[in-house]
Amino acid sequence: MSKIIVNKLDKKSTINKNIYGNFSEHLGRCIYNGVFVGEDSSIPNVNGMRTDVVEALKNIKLPVLRWPGGCFADEYHWKDGIGPKENRKRMVNTNWGGVVEDNSFGTHEFMEFCRQVGCEPYINGNMGSGTVQEMSEWVEYMTFDGESPMANLRRENGQDEPWKVKYFCVGNESWGCGGNMRPEYYADLYRHYQTFLRNYGDNKLYKIAVGPGTPDTHWTDVVMREAGKYMNALTLHYYTVPHDWQHKGSATEFTEEEYYLTLRKAAYMDDLIVSHTHVMDRYDPEHKVDLIVDEWGTWFDVEPGTNPGFLYQQSTMRDAMVAAITLNIFNHHSDRVVMANIAQLANVLQAVILTEGDKMVLTPTYHVFDLFKSHQDATLLGSFTETKEIGTEEDKVANLSVSASEDKDGVVHVTVANVSATESCPVELNLLGQDLTSVTGRILTGAMDAYNDFDTPNQVHIQPMEGIVVENGEAKFTLPACSVAELTLG
Ligand code: AHR
């Protein structure tokens, strides 16, 4: 029997809804086919955007979407993606498979997709191969209401009103694909570029600087020291790669050892956040600079027979466990982590959605975002969980991953994953600060390697949770092996 105690009197930070954000790059079939099919497609669409995908994202209340990359962002010249489509430049996507990028999805299309989904845009600017003027003009194009060359150009292209753009990042992985820079050099360039990102009218930019992608805190240290006062947030990238970058392992065929290895590596996110925020605190004791984890998720070998540059992988219940562990970690760090963007939205890495022609599949990871959606903008509550270590000799993890929050109506939601691949877990749950009279639940469960595909799209799906007993103010229930649940306490 494991015990969970949630304390409604211990109100902590607000869980920023943007922790449940996503990332869409011009990579493989994420944008083209995953999001955008064009107005003339036989696949149901509104202004070229897939209706099934838009509806699915509305259901999980997608709050914010990062675009256009990733590595792609540092070679993206935004002027190639505006104006009449027949005039748009056809270019090579050098990062991802060397395929033709026809620029039919550009700034207007991205803003239209965000409008349909009801999420905020998060734009990633090109510092790697773009100029200060180009980045500055993009902001002017998108957000200036008055008379200016860029605002006039936007109007000529059919958009009278400026868009609201808050989140803007200067470069991507500038220590790697974004320019192989040293932190000293990046910090200086960041200071330079961000100077010319103007606030037009009441559009106030929230400026984001490139953070590290490794446990090494040197990048964080230098960038915070040299440029900390010019940013609203610093990013962190972390991918869960079971083995190493050369032999990542299959997404669907793995042993129990590889399962626990993957989960142990996912749980490492906690250490990363602690170590990097510790360094940030040296230069920012008042916590003015937020942390944004704008790329995270599993990275496995591509599905056999697919383009290695497209990063297409299936998503199993193992991915669902990674998502649950990671999102619970973010909730617990919501005093510093204000946004996170799983990589990526569709058909790439730990995708929430897979598409093939007119078919769409919701992955187990999608369902985890569904189960966690009531945490969005809720207040994190203090909680205690009695766990035991499970796994293998080398790779141990806590058997339960939990977080709890109170929503705007005072209702408490608890998300809990039993990450054991084989053992169910009986749980006793107590709520301090309120008489517990009822508990309802929704649950996702399946074998560790279960997944949804185009032939069996509902192999893994959310079901109502049976067998919850509430007696004398205490709830008792059993979590099956490899399961994620959302509990609503009344
Ligand atoms: O998400 C795929 C790639 O991973 C991104 O383009 C890059 O930023 C990271 O290395």
Side-chain angles (χ1 to χ4, degrees):
M1 183 73 75
S2 286
K3 208 163 178 61
I4 300 174
I5 302 170
V6 176
N7 188 354
K8 203 175 175 183
L9 304 175
D10 185 14
K11 298 187 200 308
K12 296 178 180 286
S13 40
T14 299
I15 299 172
N16 195 314
K17 65 179 177 186
N18 289 338
I19 283 176
Y20 295 87
N22 217 306
F23 168 37
S24 56
E25 179 166 12
H26 288 242
L27 194 180
R29 295 183 305 111
C30 183
I31 295 294
Y32 300 110
N33 195 265
V35 164
F36 184 70
V37 287
E39 294 84 342
D40 301 331
S41 172
S42 59
I43 298 171
N45 70 84
V46 174
N47 298 328
M49 312 298 155
R50 291 184 75 120
T51 306
D52 51 0
V53 169
V54 168
E55 290 308 313
L57 296 175
K58 279 160 81 170
N59 175 53
I60 56 171
K61 299 188 189 323
L62 177 71
V64 63
L65 185 61
R66 177 174 178 238
W67 173 83
C71 297
F72 180 84
D74 275 308
E75 273 184 291
Y76 183 63
H77 300 284
W78 66 270
K79 285 183 186 163
D80 296 346
I82 56 169
K85 294 219 168 150
E86 59 278 14
N87 299 340
R88 295 193 191 176
K89 211 181 260 178
R90 290 168 69 81
M91 57 183 256
V92 191
N93 190 331
T94 45
N95 283 288
W96 305 118
V99 293
V100 173
E101 163 63 57
D102 70 4
N103 278 301
S104 54
F105 188 94
T107 305
H108 292 248
E109 290 75 21
F110 176 63
M111 293 301 186
E112 170 62 10
F113 185 65
C114 291
R115 184 193 70 75
Q116 290 187 26
V117 171
C119 66
E120 276 205 67
Y122 166 11
I123 303 285
N124 209 116
N126 174 355
M127 172 198 255
S129 68
T131 62
V132 176
Q133 180 181 2
E134 182 181 356
M135 193 183 284
S136 167
E137 286 185 342
W138 200 4
V139 172
E140 179 189 327
Y141 184 87
M142 292 187 288
T143 63
F144 187 46
D145 200 9
E147 177 78 24
S148 84
M150 291 304 115
N152 291 348
L153 185 58
R154 183 192 68 236
R155 290 187 196 100
E156 270 169 41
N157 289 330
Q159 179 68 29
D160 285 338
E161 290 292 308
W163 293 288
K164 281 267 168 281
V165 176
K166 180 174 178 186
Y167 302 106
F168 197 100
C169 189
V170 179
N172 168 72
E173 296 194 351
S174 307
W175 35 264
C177 66
N180 289 305
M181 300 174 194
R182 294 174 306 112
E184 292 80 1
Y185 183 64
Y186 174 77
D188 280 347
L189 277 191
Y190 172 83
R191 290 167 58 133
H192 182 183
Y193 275 65
Q194 68 80 34
T195 307
F196 301 95
L197 302 179
R198 306 293 188 192
N199 291 325
Y200 293 105
D202 61 359
N203 190 78
K204 181 124 179 43
L205 292 175
Y206 176 97
K207 296 177 186 172
I208 303 168
V210 169
T214 68
D216 182 357
T217 51
H218 179 63
W219 180 278
T220 307
D221 193 293
V222 174
V223 173
M224 282 299 296
R225 188 185 70 217
E226 302 300 336
K229 62 176 183 238
Y230 300 98
M231 67 182 76
N232 296 104
L234 187 72
T235 68
L236 170 68
H237 287 184
Y238 176 63
Y239 285 98
T240 300
V241 181
H243 295 287
D244 54 53
W245 288 100
Q246 275 65 47
H247 308 98
K248 297 184 273 294
S250 160
T252 53
E253 286 171 23
F254 51 88
T255 60
E256 219 172 283
E257 284 72 30
E258 286 173 305
Y259 172 82
Y260 286 113
L261 167 66
T262 310
L263 300 196
R264 180 187 50 83
K265 289 200 164 176
Y268 183 61
M269 179 67 86
D270 194 56
D271 299 80
L272 275 177
I273 293 171
V274 170
S275 58
H276 284 289
T277 50
H278 184 68
V279 173
M280 289 168 73
D281 289 354
R282 267 186 224 150
Y283 303 101
D284 176 36
E286 290 170 26
H287 294 186
K288 287 188 180 146
V289 180
D290 300 322
L291 185 66
I292 290 181
V293 187
D294 62 0
E295 285 187 33
W296 68 272
T298 56
W299 194 321
F300 302 122
D301 294 336
V302 298
E303 290 306 315
T306 64
N307 186 329
F310 280 16
L311 309 186
Y312 177 73
Q313 65 189 42
Q314 249 297 355
S315 186
T316 65
M317 279 301 293
R318 174 175 60 164
D319 295 78
M321 294 299 132
V322 169
I325 289 170
T326 310
L327 292 170
N328 279 330
I329 290 171
F330 291 154
N331 286 349
H332 285 292
H333 287 289
S334 50
D335 58 332
R336 291 309 288 280
V337 178
V338 298
M339 189 197 294
N341 309 76
I342 189 171
Q344 300 193 2
L345 191 76
N347 300 324
V348 171
L349 299 177
Q350 193 175 350
V352 295
I353 287 172
L354 303 178
T355 62
E356 212 171 81
D358 62 353
K359 293 192 188 142
M360 180 186 78
V361 158
L362 304 176
T363 66
T365 300
Y366 173 92
H367 293 304
V368 172
F369 275 79
D370 194 343
L371 291 171
F372 277 63
K373 65 188 175 191
S374 43
H375 287 312
Q376 292 192 20
D377 283 341
T379 305
L380 178 73
L381 295 177
S383 60
F384 166 80
T385 307
E386 198 178 64
T387 57
K388 58 179 182 195
E389 275 197 335
I390 57 164
T392 61
E393 203 50 52
E394 295 78 35
D395 299 303
K396 301 219 179 299
V397 283
N399 66 324
L400 296 180
S401 158
V402 177
S403 67
S405 69
E406 179 184 346
D407 70 16
K408 296 215 159 49
D409 300 321
V411 179
V412 175
H413 298 275
V414 180
T415 46
V416 49
N418 172 16
V419 309
S420 169
T422 50
E423 305 288 321
S424 60
C425 182
V427 178
E428 270 176 17
L429 184 146
N430 290 87
L431 177 62
L432 307 181
Q434 181 191 313
D435 283 339
L436 187 62
T437 53
S438 73
V439 177
T440 54
R442 300 190 298 147
I443 192 160
L444 181 77
T445 184
M448 66 180 184
D449 56 356
Y451 59 88
N452 295 330
D453 61 16
F454 297 97
D455 296 326
T456 51
N458 282 317
Q459 182 86 4
V460 183
H461 60 276
I462 295 176
Q463 291 169 302
M465 199 168 151
E466 311 286 350
I468 305 175
V469 176
V470 182
E471 252 174 23
N472 304 325
E474 182 171 80
K476 289 192 176 136
F477 51 88
T478 296
L479 294 167
C482 203
S483 62
V484 188
E486 180 217 22
L487 303 164
T488 302
L489 314 192

